[in-house]
């Protein structure tokens, strides 16, 4: 809207359109026409000027030629006749031909011999120093530089004609005739400004005659230089004004004839034409402007202004003005269309506004209601916020409390760690105790196992000593046979027979073999026990070696032999097991602990079944007893250290815990299945190949 | 028709259009008269008649100087325009010419060429406080006056006496006849008196005196015959070039081979061209160092020759210098006549064509005179006359 203030009103837009589309093109055309006309005029003028200067040039030429011819006639007379005749001839010539101011006859020294008109003062004067007198060729006359004659005050030249007999005739040719020509030309046409300069630029004829008399030199004019250099200079400065000139050169003398016209004079007629065109264009413009102004006012501006007013009142909400639109004098279709469109728009707007008003009122009510609701909600929200703030405060205090508790806890952890260290020390002591207990048990078993064969070997050896003694007696008898006479032989043999009967030789023979076999068997058993004990108790050996687990089981069973045999039958149902990489001493201890555990679980006579088998990378051994089983609530704790179901003093309860630790150390695990009153099965699972992770 | 609003916006506003119109109108009407007003300087001298040569030469010299000044930028950017008047060698016409020049609004007048016209003209210019600067006036009567008159030409007072001494002593001539032109009595008569007094004081005898009016174009024969009768050993002519030439020719036609002497007034080419062989050996007082070879003088001689088609004489040289001195003073005053007299009085060590010179408070100048003679149709400097 603010930009509208800068926009020109419609009237000015129309006027400037007319100005730029009508007036200026007209003016431009006018200027072009005037320029063309003035160019043609210029050419015409130069042509005319040339005609004038050419005709004047012919007059000058003619004047000089004429003088020359007359001088030639005088010279001929001078050459042909005597001084008397010449004087008469010169006198008559001088009188008849008025342009020679003076005629001289000079002798060979350029002294005046004859002078016409007679001038006694000059008689005999020496003219040898006069310029242009010396370079005169024979037969032809020469023309000196023009000078102002002292006597006439007019520009003059000497015409000099050498005489064959020596000396010369000289005529002072008056050039004032040119001035008369120029005056005639100037007064005749009125426009031409003609003047003649000599070869140096000194005036010979000029409309201002005084300038000629004062020997004014105009060689500084542009046209003088252009005629010298051949460069055409039509326009040049003459005094204070610019002129337009044409010139021609007089061949014989190098004089310059100029015809010039002040540019202002030349331009004035074209200026008038231009002024006429300008004012005509201006008149057309003003008329058009004046006329259109009224029409624009009536047909455009007034309706538009009324429309604008109506739009304004419409904007203010006043719909009453709309009807006045029909009164707009609309003289063309577009404006009438605009008016009717406006009316239609106005009625639509009116209807729309009424609708909008009611909708607006309804909205007002709704908004009020909603505002009230919102007020309530807002109050609730504020209450909630207050509560939240309170709980937030509580939370803050709780957090503080927790922080305090945490600090206490951290302190406790330190204390616990301390206790834990103490406990670890105690545990290692207890482990040692347990180990000593196991060794004790083992030693008892071993002693029992060895005691039995040693007992019967001992008794067999006693029996055998009696048998050997009796046999040795028989042997002695048989030895007497060798030394006795043959007649005593039958007696002796008889006695020997009796003796054999006494000792029951047949039985003896039988029993000795039996006793020796039995004793050897016992010795073998002892040997094996010792061997097994050595195998079992490879204590300190912690090397990982590929081991046959069955052999380990067998040796453990042998070591434990009597301990188990007293209470259970051991059934071995071995599957196929590959060698397993393990620490055999530790694994044997596991077997021992589990077998002892199984044995202890059996009350009365029971059975222990050992099974084995393997998967792709795992070997398993299960030990099943049919003892009292483990209560369900205790199963989770059986591997805990110091957990025991046995009465106090029968063990400190580290067996299973140690076994669990060893198997875990081997990367395996121990599984337990148990049912109270029916027995338990422990399954040891070991990886075949040890993973050297530790 | 749908409105073409964007196009309408492009058209200049109505006000601009009107302004354009008025400007172009004003431009048309004013285009003719532009540029600064010129500084008007008057020139006055005798340029017509028998003694026109000196004035014409002076005018040409002044014109050459003005053209040079104008091509070099003029006076504070303004060109000098010469207003030229002829005094016809007549005192009354000189006064009329000066009045015309003052009326024309000139800031100063260069002129006159001769003492007589100057003496008359000063009666007009001095009361009008109009500066007049003469190129060639040498009359001692104008020396030492605190007025508005200046000159670049020295007074002949000393040189005339020196010339007398030369004629009497070096020339060894004890009897001398003297002729002077009464038309320029202010110069010729005074010169005659100054010379004669000195000559007589030295012991010489003025054997005869004669005078004539140039305008009357007299026959010199009776006068010369009379002087010849006075048994003169030498003849001093104080006249213009053409009259001196004619008198010289006359003596020779009379077969009176008397040594001839003339003042600086006649020191032009006209003396030689019209004197013929009669002026050979003539001795004269010469203010013009015509053989000078200073660059300024050589340049002046060349540009004069190409501008006017002939060689400059002393009148042209002194006219040129007068114009240059005036231009320098005008530059100080900014082209105004106010304080112009003071500015001219301050002219010191001015670089002239032939030598450097200064103007004193009376507007006079001290410059050398030379003794010269005519040999083979040419002036030859023989020595100084101071």
């Amino acid at each position: 809207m603010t930009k509208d203030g800068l926009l020109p009103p419609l009237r000015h837009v129309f006027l400037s359109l007319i100005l730029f589309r009508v007036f200026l093109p007209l003016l431009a055309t006018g200027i072009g026409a005037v320029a063309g006309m003035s160019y043609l005029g210029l050419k015409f003028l130069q042509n005319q000027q040339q005609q004038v200067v050419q005709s004047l040039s012919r007059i000058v030429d003619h004047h000089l030629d004429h003088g020359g011819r007359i001088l030639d006639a005088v010279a001929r007379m001078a050459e042909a006749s005597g001084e008397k005749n010449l004087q008469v001839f010169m006198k008559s010539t001088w009188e008849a031909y008025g342009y020679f101011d003076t005629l001289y006859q000079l002798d060979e020294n350029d002294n005046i011999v004859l002078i016409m008109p007679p001038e006694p003062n000059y008689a005999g004067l020496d003219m040898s120093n006069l310029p242009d007198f010396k370079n005169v060729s024979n037969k032809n006359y020469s023309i000196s530089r023009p000078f102002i004659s002292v006597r006439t005050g007019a520009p003059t030249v000497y015409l000099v004609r050498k005489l064959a007999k020596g000396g010369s005739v000289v005529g002072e040719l008056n050039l004032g005739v040119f001035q008369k020509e120029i005056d005639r030309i100037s007064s005749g046409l009125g426009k031409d400004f003609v003047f003649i300069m000599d070869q140096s630029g000194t005036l010979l004829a000029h409309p201002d005659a005084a300038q000629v008399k004062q020997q004014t030199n105009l060689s500084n004019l542009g046209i003088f230089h252009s005629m010298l250099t051949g460069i055409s200079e039509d326009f040049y400065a003459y005094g204070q004004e610019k002129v337009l000139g044409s010139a021609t050169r007089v061949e014989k003398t190098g004089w310059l004839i100029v015809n010039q016209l002040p540019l202002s004079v030349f331009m004035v007629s074209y200026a008038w034409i231009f002024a006429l065109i300008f004012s005509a264009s201006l008149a057309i413009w003003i008329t058009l402007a004046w006329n259109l102004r009224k029409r624009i006012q009536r047909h455009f501006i007034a309706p538009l202004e009324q429309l604008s007013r109506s739009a304004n009142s419409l904007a203010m909400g006043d719909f009453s003005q709309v009807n006045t639109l029909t009164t707009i004098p609309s003289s063309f279709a577009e404006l009438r269309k605009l008016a009717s469109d406006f009316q239609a728009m106005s009625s639509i707007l009116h209807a729309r506004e009424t609708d909008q008003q009611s909708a607006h009122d309804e909205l007002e009510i709704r908004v009020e209601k909603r505002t009230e609701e919102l007020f309530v909600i807002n109050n609730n929200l504020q209450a909630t916020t207050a509560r939240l703030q309170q709980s937030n405060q509580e939370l803050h205090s709780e957090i503080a409390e927790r922080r305090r508790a945490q600090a206490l806890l951290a302190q406790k952890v330190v204390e616990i760690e301390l206790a834990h260290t103490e406990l670890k020390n105690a545990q290692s002591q207890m482990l040692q105790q347990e180990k000593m207990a196991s060794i004790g048990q083992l030693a008892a078993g071993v002693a029992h196992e060895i005691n039995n064969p040693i007992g019967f070997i001992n008794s067999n050896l006693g029996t055998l000593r009696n048998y050997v003694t009796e046999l040795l007696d028989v042997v002695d008898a048989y030895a007497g046979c060798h030394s006795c006479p043959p007649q005593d032989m039958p007696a002796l043999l008889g006695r020997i027979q009796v003796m054999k009967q006494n000792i029951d030789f047949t039985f003896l023979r039988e029993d000795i073999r039996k006793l020796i076999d039995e004793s050897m068997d016992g010795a073998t058993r002892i040997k094996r026990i010792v061997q097994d004990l050595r195998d079992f108790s490879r204590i300190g050996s912690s090397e990982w070696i590929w081991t046959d687990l069955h052999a380990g089981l067998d040796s453990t069973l042998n070591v434990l032999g009597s301990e188990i045999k007293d209470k259970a039958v051991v059934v071995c149902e071995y599957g196929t097991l590959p060698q397993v990489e393990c620490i055999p001493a530790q694994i044997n201890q596991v077997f021992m602990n589990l077998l002892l555990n199984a044995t202890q679980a059996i009350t009365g006579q029971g059975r222990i079944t050992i099974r084995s088998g393997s998967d792709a990378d795992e070997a398993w051994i299960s030990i099943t007893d049919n003892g009292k089983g483990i209560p369900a609530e205790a199963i989770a704790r059986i591997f805990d250290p110091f957990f025991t179901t046995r009465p106090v003093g029968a063990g400190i309860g580290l067996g299973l815990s140690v076994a669990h630790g060893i198997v875990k150390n081997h990367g395996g695990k121990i599984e337990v299945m148990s049912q109270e009153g029916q027995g338990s099965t422990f399954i040891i699972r070991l990886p075949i190949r040890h993973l050297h992770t530790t | 028709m749908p409105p073409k609003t964007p196009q309408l916006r492009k058209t200049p506003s109505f006000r601009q259009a009107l302004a354009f119109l008025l400007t172009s109108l004003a431009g048309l009407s004013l285009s003719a008269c532009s540029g600064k007003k010129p500084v008007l300087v008057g020139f006055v001298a005798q340029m017509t008649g028998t003694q026109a040569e000196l004035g014409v030469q002076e005018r040409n010299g002044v014109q050459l100087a003005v053209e040079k000044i104008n091509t070099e930028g003029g006076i504070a950017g303004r060109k000098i325009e010469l207003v030229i008047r002829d005094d016809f060698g007549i005192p009354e016409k000189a006064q009329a010419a000066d009045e015309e020049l003052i009326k024309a609004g000139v800031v100063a007048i260069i002129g006159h060429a001769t003492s007589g016209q100057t003496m008359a003209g000063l009666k007009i210019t001095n009361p009008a406080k109009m500066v007049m600067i003469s190129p060639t006036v040498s009359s001692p009567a104008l020396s030492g006056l605190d007025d508005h008159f200046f000159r670049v030409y020295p007074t002949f007072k000393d040189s005339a006496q020196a010339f007398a001494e030369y004629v009497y002593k070096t020339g060894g001539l004890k009897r001398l006849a003297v002729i002077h032109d009464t038309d320029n009595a202010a110069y010729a008569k005074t010169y005659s008196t100054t010379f004669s007094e000195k000559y007589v004081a030295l012991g010489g005898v003025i054997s005869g005196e004669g005078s004539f009016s140039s305008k009357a174009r007299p026959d010199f024969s009776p006068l010369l015959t009379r002087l010849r009768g006075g048994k003169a050993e030498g003849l001093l002519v104080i006249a213009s070039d053409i009259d001196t030439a004619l008198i010289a020719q006359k003596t020779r036609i009379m077969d009176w081979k008397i040594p001839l002497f003339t003042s600086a007034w006649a020191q032009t080419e006209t003396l030689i061209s019209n004197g013929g062989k009669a002026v050979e050996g003539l001795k004269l007082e010469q203010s013009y160092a015509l053989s000078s070879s200073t660059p300024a003088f050589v340049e002046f001689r060349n540009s004069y020759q190409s501008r006017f088609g002939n060689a400059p004489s002393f009148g042209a040289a002194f006219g040129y210098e007068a114009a240059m001195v005036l231009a320098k003073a005008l530059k100080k005053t900014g082209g105004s006549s106010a304080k112009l007299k003071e500015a001219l009085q301050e002219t010191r060590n001015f670089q002239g064509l032939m030598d450097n010179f200064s103007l004193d408070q009376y507007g006079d100048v001290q410059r050398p005179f030379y003794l010269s003679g005519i040999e083979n149709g040419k002036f030859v400097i023989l020595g100084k006359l101071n």
Side-chain angles (χ1 to χ4, degrees):
Chain A
M1 285 300 279
T2 48
K3 269 208 160 184
D4 275 9
L6 300 173
L7 287 176
L10 184 63
R11 203 179 303 140
H12 289 177
V13 169
F14 266 90
L15 290 186
S16 48
L17 268 180
I18 294 161
L19 176 69
F20 283 100
R21 305 286 153 87
V22 180
F23 173 65
L24 290 183
L26 268 177
L27 203 59
T29 317
I31 290 168
V34 170
M37 276 163 65
S38 56
Y39 178 74
L40 290 176
L42 185 70
K43 287 289 145 199
F44 177 74
L45 180 73
Q46 283 179 326
N47 208 1
Q48 209 182 21
Q49 284 180 337
Q50 271 299 328
Q51 283 178 10
V52 172
V53 295
Q54 292 294 346
S55 80
L56 198 56
S57 162
R58 280 192 294 276
I59 290 168
V60 171
D61 246 0
H62 179 78
H63 187 60
L64 292 170
D65 267 352
H66 196 55
R69 277 198 300 276
I70 287 165
L71 194 69
D72 196 47
V74 175
R76 281 168 206 281
M77 180 56 78
E79 283 164 351
S81 60
E83 196 174 298
K84 205 83 185 152
N85 283 344
L86 182 61
Q87 194 174 5
V88 173
F89 184 75
M90 272 171 73
K91 189 174 192 291
S92 62
T93 307
W94 179 76
E95 280 167 354
Y97 184 72
Y99 294 115
F100 278 126
D101 286 333
T102 316
L103 281 169
Y104 308 89
Q105 190 200 356
L106 304 181
D107 62 16
E108 54 272 26
N109 294 321
D110 291 325
N111 291 329
I112 296 172
V113 181
L114 269 175
I115 181 165
M116 186 60 62
E119 171 68 72
N121 233 351
Y122 287 2
L125 286 183
D126 175 11
M127 295 179 77
S128 60
N129 277 354
L130 284 173
D132 304 318
F133 262 50
K134 301 227 160 85
N135 308 324
V136 179
S137 58
N138 281 337
K139 283 283 174 187
N140 222 338
Y141 72 95
S142 73
I143 305 164
S144 75
R145 274 174 187 262
F147 59 96
I148 299 294
S149 165
V150 174
R151 269 176 294 148
T152 63
T156 309
V157 286
Y158 289 118
L159 297 188
V160 184
R161 165 75 158 76
K162 284 280 178 200
L163 295 176
K165 62 175 184 181
S168 54
V169 287
V170 177
E172 264 183 38
L173 186 66
N174 192 317
L175 303 180
V177 63
F178 302 151
Q179 186 65 40
K180 289 192 189 99
E181 281 297 325
I182 279 166
D183 291 345
R184 184 181 60 77
I185 291 168
S186 300
S187 61
L189 291 166
K191 268 203 290 188
D192 294 292
F193 189 95
V194 185
F195 56 89
I196 306 173
M197 294 183 269
D198 73 7
Q199 56 269 54
S200 305
T202 305
L203 287 174
L204 298 179
H206 190 275
D208 178 7
Q211 300 260 7
V212 179
K213 287 194 173 127
Q214 293 170 8
Q215 303 172 47
T216 303
N217 186 301
L218 295 181
S219 73
N220 56 333
L221 289 185
I223 197 149
F224 185 83
H225 289 279
S226 68
M227 288 305 284
L228 273 184
T229 54
I231 298 161
S232 156
E233 191 171 349
D234 301 329
F235 298 96
Y236 52 92
Y238 183 86
Q240 295 302 309
E241 61 183 356
K242 266 271 184 197
V243 296
L244 176 64
S246 303
T248 191
R249 187 169 284 277
V250 179
E251 282 303 321
K252 217 170 272 161
T253 53
W255 301 346
L256 215 59
I257 302 166
V258 180
N259 186 1
Q260 69 185 31
L261 184 69
L263 209 54
S264 54
V265 176
F266 171 73
M267 292 303 277
V268 78
S269 55
Y270 297 101
W272 273 113
I273 295 170
F274 177 75
L276 203 68
I277 289 170
F278 181 81
S279 37
S281 309
L282 196 66
I284 290 169
W285 179 61
I286 288 169
T287 315
L288 264 177
W290 183 257
N291 199 344
L292 277 171
R293 196 177 134 95
K294 280 190 162 177
R295 286 181 175 266
I296 288 165
Q297 179 66 37
R298 212 174 78 209
H299 294 303
F300 290 85
I301 295 167
L304 284 175
E305 277 172 352
Q306 194 162 351
L307 209 59
S308 168
R309 273 198 299 278
S310 301
N312 276 339
S313 53
L314 205 65
M316 302 300 284
D318 179 7
F319 288 89
S320 61
Q321 284 270 322
V322 172
N323 290 332
T324 60
L325 283 175
T326 49
T327 64
I328 291 176
S330 44
S331 56
F332 56 98
E334 285 85 352
L335 194 60
R336 182 168 295 173
K337 178 85 165 50
L338 186 63
S340 63
D341 283 354
F342 188 80
Q343 257 181 312
M345 181 190 83
S346 143
S347 54
I348 290 166
L349 268 179
H350 192 41
R352 199 176 291 169
E353 207 188 66
T354 319
D355 286 352
Q356 276 183 349
Q357 189 59 47
S358 59
H360 178 76
D361 292 348
E362 202 175 309
L363 260 175
E364 286 276 293
I365 295 164
R366 222 183 276 175
V367 164
E368 221 164 281
K369 205 170 137 194
R370 180 60 55 87
T371 310
E372 276 170 29
E373 283 170 11
L374 281 173
F375 183 71
V376 172
I377 290 170
N378 188 28
N379 280 353
N380 289 349
L381 264 175
Q382 278 178 347
T384 313
T385 308
R387 275 201 301 278
L388 277 174
Q389 275 176 345
Q390 196 182 344
S391 50
N392 191 25
Q393 276 177 347
E394 285 167 12
L395 269 173
H396 272 302
S397 56
E398 206 167 305
I399 285 167
E401 220 163 284
R402 291 236 172 133
R403 286 218 176 114
R404 276 195 299 277
Q406 205 169 8
L408 277 174
L409 214 61
Q411 199 184 335
K412 285 253 168 79
V413 165
V414 175
E415 285 170 15
I416 284 167
E417 271 173 3
L418 208 64
H420 185 238
T421 316
E422 284 170 16
L423 271 175
K424 264 196 171 167
N425 294 342
Q427 187 189 18
S428 61
Q429 272 181 351
M430 281 189 162
L431 275 174
Q432 196 62 30
Q433 277 179 15
E434 176 77 16
K435 207 177 263 177
M436 294 314 286
S438 297
I439 289 167
Q441 223 166 358
L442 195 66
V446 168
H448 177 79
E449 209 51 33
I450 292 171
N451 197 37
N452 189 26
I454 283 185
F456 70 73
I457 286 170
N458 199 29
S459 80
N460 284 358
L461 282 173
T463 309
L464 274 173
R465 197 172 63 189
N466 294 338
Y467 288 171
V468 169
T469 310
E470 285 168 356
L471 276 174
L472 282 173
D473 289 341
V474 169
V475 170
D476 287 341
Y478 274 109
C481 288
H482 286 291
S483 49
C484 88
Q487 59 283 21
D488 294 329
M489 226 25 168
L492 206 39
L493 281 169
R495 244 187 0 244
I496 294 172
Q497 201 64 38
V498 170
M499 266 176 90
K500 274 185 180 177
Q501 278 171 348
N502 282 350
I503 56 171
D504 197 0
F505 187 78
T506 312
F507 171 75
L508 202 79
R509 180 183 284 226
E510 208 58 31
D511 202 33
I512 286 171
R513 193 172 288 135
K514 213 173 147 187
L515 282 174
I516 289 173
D517 283 353
E518 212 172 84
S519 296
M520 280 179 76
D521 188 45
T524 308
R525 270 177 64 188
I526 291 167
K527 187 182 166 196
R528 215 186 71 212
I529 285 167
V530 170
Q531 179 69 41
D532 285 346
L533 188 62
R534 208 170 57 205
D535 286 351
F536 177 80
S537 60
R538 238 191 242 157
I539 294 165
S541 160
S542 59
E543 284 172 40
W544 291 84
I545 50 175
W546 292 96
T547 311
D548 179 8
L549 290 182
H550 289 154
L553 270 171
D554 287 345
S555 64
T556 305
L557 280 171
N558 277 333
V559 168
L560 289 177
S562 62
E563 283 279 308
I564 300 169
K565 275 175 211 152
D566 290 348
K567 295 177 83 173
V569 180
V570 175
V571 182
C572 290
E573 296 174 0
Y574 291 168
T576 47
L577 267 184
Q579 297 234 318
V580 173
E581 196 181 11
C582 61
I583 302 170
Q586 289 186 359
I587 294 299
N588 287 351
Q589 191 177 353
V590 171
F591 292 157
M592 187 184 79
N593 286 359
L594 288 179
L595 285 170
L596 279 174
N597 226 42
T599 312
Q600 281 161 2
I602 292 165
T603 46
Q605 196 64 35
R607 196 175 58 175
I608 293 171
T609 310
I610 302 172
R611 296 188 185 89
S612 68
S614 67
D615 301 334
D617 52 0
E618 196 180 65
W620 60 267
I621 288 150
S622 75
I623 296 167
T624 309
D625 67 76
N626 58 348
K628 60 186 178 207
I630 305 162
E633 67 271 14
I635 281 187
R637 297 177 60 199
I638 53 169
F639 294 115
D640 288 355
F642 311 113
F643 177 78
T644 182
T645 52
R646 282 171 288 181
V648 176
I652 52 169
L654 279 174
L656 281 178
S657 170
V658 168
H660 184 256
I662 290 167
V663 172
K664 217 173 148 191
N665 196 34
H666 276 71
K669 57 187 177 184
I670 298 174
E671 292 167 4
V672 189
M673 286 171 289
S674 183
Q675 209 158 4
E676 214 174 349
Q678 299 209 351
S680 311
T681 301
F682 285 82
I683 303 170
I684 306 154
R685 294 184 183 279
L686 288 172
I688 290 167
R689 177 171 287 279
H690 169 60
L691 298 172
H692 298 275
T693 50
T694 54
Chain B
M1 192 179 87
K4 293 179 179 175
T5 339
Q7 277 200 356
L8 285 181
R9 275 185 195 173
K10 273 183 188 173
T11 59
S13 79
F14 180 70
R15 243 168 259 265
Q16 281 175 308
L18 214 63
F20 167 76
L21 241 168
L22 288 173
T23 324
S24 51
L25 266 175
L28 271 171
S29 56
L30 284 171
S31 58
C33 37
S34 58
K36 291 180 179 175
K37 276 178 101 181
V39 178
L40 297 183
V41 171
F43 175 83
V44 63
Q46 180 183 357
M47 289 177 288
T48 54
T50 51
Q51 297 172 7
E53 178 62 11
L54 180 60
V56 167
Q57 286 266 350
E58 283 180 27
R59 185 207 54 210
N60 287 355
V62 169
Q63 215 170 333
L64 193 68
V66 167
E67 283 164 14
K68 184 176 161 73
I69 291 157
N70 284 346
T71 33
E72 285 169 2
I75 307 295
R78 294 164 67 191
K79 298 212 162 180
I80 295 178
E81 189 184 329
L82 277 179
V83 185
I84 297 166
R85 289 291 179 274
D86 191 353
D87 66 23
F88 302 95
I90 298 164
E92 293 73 32
K93 291 203 173 177
Q95 290 184 338
D98 288 335
E99 271 171 351
E100 275 182 52
L101 288 174
I102 290 165
K103 219 173 274 175
V106 298
V107 294
I109 294 169
I110 301 172
H112 299 251
T114 46
S115 301
Q117 281 55 255
T118 307
M119 304 281 252
L122 285 176
K123 288 183 183 130
I124 302 297
T125 56
N126 271 336
K129 294 193 163 64
M130 173 59 64
V131 164
M132 180 184 278
I133 176 163
S134 170
T136 52
V137 165
S138 57
S139 171
L142 292 168
S143 296
L145 301 176
D146 185 13
D147 55 5
H148 288 80
F149 177 73
F150 294 83
R151 54 182 164 184
V152 295
Y153 200 87
T155 168
F156 58 72
K157 195 167 191 280
D158 294 342
S159 66
Q161 291 180 357
F163 197 27
E165 207 170 321
Y166 169 81
V167 172
Y168 181 80
K169 287 185 175 166
T170 315
L173 305 176
K174 312 296 178 208
R175 295 175 68 84
L176 201 66
V178 182
I179 302 174
H180 77 265
D181 179 0
T182 53
D183 286 354
N184 188 13
Y187 173 84
K189 180 90 177 97
T190 316
Y191 193 95
S192 169
T193 311
T194 311
F195 186 98
S196 300
E197 278 171 2
K198 179 70 181 174
Y199 188 75
V200 171
L202 285 168
V205 175
I206 300 300
S207 62
E209 275 184 279
S211 63
F212 67 96
S213 167
S214 178
K215 280 189 279 295
R217 307 187 64 231
D219 180 4
F220 294 112
S221 302
L223 176 63
L224 289 172
T225 309
R226 176 168 67 81
L227 294 174
R228 192 179 188 180
K231 299 226 186 309
E233 293 168 12
L235 175 63
L236 172 66
V237 182
I238 306 158
S240 72
D241 45 14
I242 192 125
D243 289 322
T244 308
L246 206 57
I247 290 166
Q249 292 245 27
K250 275 287 170 194
T251 61
R252 297 307 181 253
I253 290 165
M254 288 163 64
D255 203 23
W256 187 24
K257 291 194 170 53
I258 188 166
L260 294 170
F261 302 93
T262 189
S263 71
W265 184 13
Q267 54 176 330
T268 73
E269 290 296 322
T270 306
L271 174 64
I272 296 172
S273 62
N274 284 308
K277 290 177 193 69
V279 295
E280 278 292 312
L282 181 143
K283 302 276 191 304
L284 72 157
E285 185 195 41
Q286 178 86 269
S287 59
Y288 184 43
L290 45 94
S291 57
S292 172
S293 59
T294 64
F297 185 70
V298 172
E299 192 208 326
F300 161 76
R301 217 163 41 191
N302 291 341
S303 45
Y304 188 94
Q305 177 76 43
S306 75
R307 171 72 176 84
F308 297 105
N310 53 15
S313 77
F314 82 103
F318 285 98
Y320 184 91
E321 286 183 339
M324 284 300 188
V325 166
L326 178 64
K328 194 179 178 188
L330 278 173
K331 277 177 188 167
K332 280 189 202 163
T333 68
S336 158
S337 59
K339 301 266 177 196
L340 185 60
K341 177 186 171 183
E342 288 75 10
L344 278 168
Q345 282 172 332
E346 285 164 15
T347 303
R348 290 286 174 281
N349 212 21
F350 183 85
Q351 206 173 349
L353 293 174
M354 298 158 283
D355 55 352
N356 291 0
F357 59 88
S358 305
L359 298 186
D360 65 17
Q361 55 168 324
Y362 304 113
D364 295 320
V365 70
Q366 290 287 332
R367 303 184 73 176
F369 269 103
Y370 305 91
L371 176 75
S372 77
I374 296 171
E375 288 174 13
N376 297 319
K378 296 230 177 321
F379 288 113
V380 178
I381 299 283
L382 299 172
K384 266 192 178 180
L385 267 187
N386 292 71

